[in-house]
Amino acid sequence: MTVQRRGPLLVEGPVEIELEDGSTVFSDRFRVALCTCRRSRRYPWCDTSHRRKGSTPG
């Protein structure tokens, strides 16, 4: 894993994630970006929403 300040959490794949509701999502990509700001429309996958002008992840 790689932690990026003000960005996503990068994880070497494949990756299976268990969400808060108990469901799971899977990606077989060689690297995935996990959203840490919860602004992504594709949560838990990062869609770079944290890059919007004037936004600060939190």
Side-chain angles (χ1 to χ4, degrees), residues 1-25:
M1 283 193 263
T2 304
V3 177
Q4 295 185 339
R5 183 179 171 102
R6 305 184 83 187
L9 178 65
L10 301 177
V11 182
E12 300 294 320
V15 176
E16 184 175 38
I17 306 290
E18 183 176 335
L19 301 175
E20 292 173 303
D21 66 2
S23 64
T24 58
V25 291

mmCIF file of all heavy atoms in Angstrom, residues 1-25:
data_model
loop_
_atom_site.group_PDB
_atom_site.id
_atom_site.type_symbol
_atom_site.label_atom_id
_atom_site.label_comp_id
_atom_site.label_asym_id
_atom_site.label_seq_id
_atom_site.Cartn_x
_atom_site.Cartn_y
_atom_site.Cartn_z
ATOM 1 N N MET A 1 0.838 -1.182 0.000
ATOM 2 C CA MET A 1 0.000 0.000 0.000
ATOM 3 C C MET A 1 0.877 1.238 0.000
ATOM 4 O O MET A 1 1.961 1.228 0.574
ATOM 5 C CB MET A 1 -0.878 0.053 1.253
ATOM 6 C CG MET A 1 -2.054 -0.853 1.218
ATOM 7 S SD MET A 1 -3.204 -0.445 2.521
ATOM 8 C CE MET A 1 -2.691 -1.648 3.720
ATOM 9 N N THR A 2 0.349 2.268 -0.613
ATOM 10 C CA THR A 2 1.028 3.553 -0.622
ATOM 11 C C THR A 2 0.031 4.619 -0.181
ATOM 12 O O THR A 2 -1.056 4.720 -0.749
ATOM 13 C CB THR A 2 1.538 3.911 -2.038
ATOM 14 O OG1 THR A 2 2.378 2.859 -2.504
ATOM 15 C CG2 THR A 2 2.301 5.212 -2.033
ATOM 16 N N VAL A 3 0.391 5.382 0.838
ATOM 17 C CA VAL A 3 -0.463 6.455 1.327
ATOM 18 C C VAL A 3 0.021 7.757 0.701
ATOM 19 O O VAL A 3 1.205 8.060 0.728
ATOM 20 C CB VAL A 3 -0.401 6.552 2.872
ATOM 21 C CG1 VAL A 3 -1.245 7.710 3.363
ATOM 22 C CG2 VAL A 3 -0.843 5.245 3.498
ATOM 23 N N GLN A 4 -0.914 8.500 0.101
ATOM 24 C CA GLN A 4 -0.586 9.783 -0.510
ATOM 25 C C GLN A 4 -1.301 10.893 0.241
ATOM 26 O O GLN A 4 -2.516 10.839 0.413
ATOM 27 C CB GLN A 4 -1.027 9.815 -1.970
ATOM 28 C CG GLN A 4 -0.300 8.833 -2.837
ATOM 29 C CD GLN A 4 -0.689 8.988 -4.287
ATOM 30 O OE1 GLN A 4 -1.733 9.533 -4.613
ATOM 31 N NE2 GLN A 4 0.161 8.515 -5.152
ATOM 32 N N ARG A 5 -0.541 11.881 0.673
ATOM 33 C CA ARG A 5 -1.144 13.025 1.350
ATOM 34 C C ARG A 5 -2.094 13.708 0.382
ATOM 35 O O ARG A 5 -1.747 13.963 -0.762
ATOM 36 C CB ARG A 5 -0.049 13.998 1.789
ATOM 37 C CG ARG A 5 -0.571 15.166 2.555
ATOM 38 C CD ARG A 5 0.607 16.051 2.974
ATOM 39 N NE ARG A 5 0.140 17.288 3.521
ATOM 40 C CZ ARG A 5 0.107 17.547 4.828
ATOM 41 N NH1 ARG A 5 0.554 16.650 5.670
ATOM 42 N NH2 ARG A 5 -0.333 18.699 5.255
ATOM 43 N N ARG A 6 -3.314 13.953 0.823
ATOM 44 C CA ARG A 6 -4.339 14.625 0.020
ATOM 45 C C ARG A 6 -4.679 13.841 -1.244
ATOM 46 O O ARG A 6 -4.963 14.415 -2.279
ATOM 47 C CB ARG A 6 -3.911 16.040 -0.329
ATOM 48 C CG ARG A 6 -3.556 16.853 0.911
ATOM 49 C CD ARG A 6 -3.243 18.251 0.584
ATOM 50 N NE ARG A 6 -4.528 18.935 0.492
ATOM 51 C CZ ARG A 6 -4.683 20.159 0.095
ATOM 52 N NH1 ARG A 6 -3.664 20.866 -0.271
ATOM 53 N NH2 ARG A 6 -5.872 20.701 0.044
ATOM 54 N N GLY A 7 -4.631 12.533 -1.145
ATOM 55 C CA GLY A 7 -4.961 11.708 -2.301
ATOM 56 C C GLY A 7 -5.445 10.339 -1.873
ATOM 57 O O GLY A 7 -5.693 10.097 -0.693
ATOM 58 N N PRO A 8 -5.540 9.426 -2.832
ATOM 59 C CA PRO A 8 -6.059 8.095 -2.541
ATOM 60 C C PRO A 8 -5.024 7.195 -1.881
ATOM 61 O O PRO A 8 -3.837 7.510 -1.835
ATOM 62 C CB PRO A 8 -6.419 7.559 -3.927
ATOM 63 C CG PRO A 8 -5.417 8.208 -4.822
ATOM 64 C CD PRO A 8 -5.224 9.588 -4.247
ATOM 65 N N LEU A 9 -5.494 6.085 -1.411
ATOM 66 C CA LEU A 9 -4.649 5.023 -0.888
ATOM 67 C C LEU A 9 -4.421 4.058 -2.049
ATOM 68 O O LEU A 9 -5.390 3.536 -2.613
ATOM 69 C CB LEU A 9 -5.361 4.326 0.266
ATOM 70 C CG LEU A 9 -4.664 3.159 0.928
ATOM 71 C CD1 LEU A 9 -3.387 3.625 1.614
ATOM 72 C CD2 LEU A 9 -5.589 2.506 1.934
ATOM 73 N N LEU A 10 -3.185 3.856 -2.463
ATOM 74 C CA LEU A 10 -2.869 2.974 -3.582
ATOM 75 C C LEU A 10 -2.558 1.584 -3.051
ATOM 76 O O LEU A 10 -1.735 1.428 -2.147
ATOM 77 C CB LEU A 10 -1.681 3.510 -4.377
ATOM 78 C CG LEU A 10 -1.859 4.908 -4.961
ATOM 79 C CD1 LEU A 10 -0.578 5.345 -5.666
ATOM 80 C CD2 LEU A 10 -3.043 4.944 -5.908
ATOM 81 N N VAL A 11 -3.228 0.575 -3.608
ATOM 82 C CA VAL A 11 -3.074 -0.801 -3.150
ATOM 83 C C VAL A 11 -2.746 -1.678 -4.349
ATOM 84 O O VAL A 11 -3.409 -1.582 -5.390
ATOM 85 C CB VAL A 11 -4.372 -1.305 -2.474
ATOM 86 C CG1 VAL A 11 -4.202 -2.720 -1.958
ATOM 87 C CG2 VAL A 11 -4.793 -0.378 -1.344
ATOM 88 N N GLU A 12 -1.711 -2.520 -4.194
ATOM 89 C CA GLU A 12 -1.381 -3.474 -5.248
ATOM 90 C C GLU A 12 -2.488 -4.513 -5.309
ATOM 91 O O GLU A 12 -2.949 -5.009 -4.280
ATOM 92 C CB GLU A 12 -0.037 -4.145 -4.960
ATOM 93 C CG GLU A 12 1.135 -3.179 -4.867
ATOM 94 C CD GLU A 12 1.454 -2.483 -6.173
ATOM 95 O OE1 GLU A 12 1.391 -3.138 -7.234
ATOM 96 O OE2 GLU A 12 1.763 -1.274 -6.142
ATOM 97 N N GLY A 13 -2.960 -4.836 -6.512
ATOM 98 C CA GLY A 13 -4.096 -5.741 -6.683
ATOM 99 C C GLY A 13 -3.677 -7.169 -6.920
ATOM 100 O O GLY A 13 -2.492 -7.459 -6.981
ATOM 101 N N PRO A 14 -4.640 -8.054 -7.066
ATOM 102 C CA PRO A 14 -6.076 -7.822 -6.990
ATOM 103 C C PRO A 14 -6.513 -7.517 -5.563
ATOM 104 O O PRO A 14 -5.825 -7.866 -4.614
ATOM 105 C CB PRO A 14 -6.697 -9.128 -7.492
ATOM 106 C CG PRO A 14 -5.653 -10.160 -7.263
ATOM 107 C CD PRO A 14 -4.323 -9.452 -7.347
ATOM 108 N N VAL A 15 -7.669 -6.854 -5.453
ATOM 109 C CA VAL A 15 -8.146 -6.366 -4.162
ATOM 110 C C VAL A 15 -9.623 -6.709 -3.971
ATOM 111 O O VAL A 15 -10.426 -6.543 -4.883
ATOM 112 C CB VAL A 15 -7.982 -4.825 -4.083
ATOM 113 C CG1 VAL A 15 -8.561 -4.274 -2.808
ATOM 114 C CG2 VAL A 15 -6.530 -4.436 -4.220
ATOM 115 N N GLU A 16 -9.953 -7.189 -2.781
ATOM 116 C CA GLU A 16 -11.343 -7.393 -2.389
ATOM 117 C C GLU A 16 -11.583 -6.540 -1.148
ATOM 118 O O GLU A 16 -10.832 -6.624 -0.179
ATOM 119 C CB GLU A 16 -11.625 -8.858 -2.075
ATOM 120 C CG GLU A 16 -13.069 -9.123 -1.749
ATOM 121 C CD GLU A 16 -13.359 -10.603 -1.556
ATOM 122 O OE1 GLU A 16 -12.506 -11.303 -0.988
ATOM 123 O OE2 GLU A 16 -14.433 -11.029 -1.973
ATOM 124 N N ILE A 17 -12.621 -5.702 -1.177
ATOM 125 C CA ILE A 17 -12.920 -4.768 -0.098
ATOM 126 C C ILE A 17 -14.272 -5.114 0.498
ATOM 127 O O ILE A 17 -15.245 -5.289 -0.238
ATOM 128 C CB ILE A 17 -12.988 -3.310 -0.627
ATOM 129 C CG1 ILE A 17 -11.719 -2.923 -1.380
ATOM 130 C CG2 ILE A 17 -13.306 -2.329 0.496
ATOM 131 C CD1 ILE A 17 -10.510 -2.764 -0.530
ATOM 132 N N GLU A 18 -14.351 -5.181 1.819
ATOM 133 C CA GLU A 18 -15.634 -5.344 2.492
ATOM 134 C C GLU A 18 -16.114 -3.969 2.923
ATOM 135 O O GLU A 18 -15.432 -3.251 3.652
ATOM 136 C CB GLU A 18 -15.526 -6.251 3.704
ATOM 137 C CG GLU A 18 -16.871 -6.492 4.368
ATOM 138 C CD GLU A 18 -16.806 -7.468 5.523
ATOM 139 O OE1 GLU A 18 -15.893 -8.312 5.560
ATOM 140 O OE2 GLU A 18 -17.682 -7.371 6.401
ATOM 141 N N LEU A 19 -17.319 -3.592 2.474
ATOM 142 C CA LEU A 19 -17.892 -2.292 2.782
ATOM 143 C C LEU A 19 -18.620 -2.325 4.117
ATOM 144 O O LEU A 19 -18.851 -3.389 4.683
ATOM 145 C CB LEU A 19 -18.849 -1.877 1.660
ATOM 146 C CG LEU A 19 -18.204 -1.790 0.268
ATOM 147 C CD1 LEU A 19 -19.269 -1.491 -0.775
ATOM 148 C CD2 LEU A 19 -17.100 -0.749 0.241
ATOM 149 N N GLU A 20 -18.993 -1.141 4.606
ATOM 150 C CA GLU A 20 -19.668 -1.020 5.905
ATOM 151 C C GLU A 20 -20.932 -1.864 6.009
ATOM 152 O O GLU A 20 -21.257 -2.376 7.079
ATOM 153 C CB GLU A 20 -20.026 0.439 6.175
ATOM 154 C CG GLU A 20 -18.825 1.323 6.404
ATOM 155 C CD GLU A 20 -19.206 2.782 6.510
ATOM 156 O OE1 GLU A 20 -19.825 3.298 5.566
ATOM 157 O OE2 GLU A 20 -18.889 3.380 7.553
ATOM 158 N N ASP A 21 -21.639 -2.014 4.890
ATOM 159 C CA ASP A 21 -22.894 -2.771 4.920
ATOM 160 C C ASP A 21 -22.688 -4.281 4.791
ATOM 161 O O ASP A 21 -23.642 -5.042 4.727
ATOM 162 C CB ASP A 21 -23.850 -2.277 3.835
ATOM 163 C CG ASP A 21 -23.347 -2.540 2.419
ATOM 164 O OD1 ASP A 21 -22.261 -3.150 2.238
ATOM 165 O OD2 ASP A 21 -24.044 -2.125 1.470
ATOM 166 N N GLY A 22 -21.428 -4.710 4.752
ATOM 167 C CA GLY A 22 -21.112 -6.127 4.669
ATOM 168 C C GLY A 22 -20.942 -6.649 3.252
ATOM 169 O O GLY A 22 -20.481 -7.776 3.055
ATOM 170 N N SER A 23 -21.309 -5.853 2.247
ATOM 171 C CA SER A 23 -21.119 -6.273 0.861
ATOM 172 C C SER A 23 -19.638 -6.165 0.497
ATOM 173 O O SER A 23 -18.861 -5.488 1.176
ATOM 174 C CB SER A 23 -21.976 -5.418 -0.079
ATOM 175 O OG SER A 23 -21.560 -4.065 -0.045
ATOM 176 N N THR A 24 -19.248 -6.849 -0.568
ATOM 177 C CA THR A 24 -17.859 -6.800 -1.013
ATOM 178 C C THR A 24 -17.782 -6.332 -2.451
ATOM 179 O O THR A 24 -18.711 -6.533 -3.243
ATOM 180 C CB THR A 24 -17.168 -8.172 -0.890
ATOM 181 O OG1 THR A 24 -17.889 -9.116 -1.663
ATOM 182 C CG2 THR A 24 -17.088 -8.633 0.553
ATOM 183 N N VAL A 25 -16.679 -5.672 -2.766
ATOM 184 C CA VAL A 25 -16.372 -5.268 -4.139
ATOM 185 C C VAL A 25 -14.993 -5.811 -4.458
ATOM 186 O O VAL A 25 -14.153 -5.983 -3.568
ATOM 187 C CB VAL A 25 -16.433 -3.733 -4.318
ATOM 188 C CG1 VAL A 25 -17.858 -3.237 -4.199
ATOM 189 C CG2 VAL A 25 -15.540 -3.007 -3.344
#
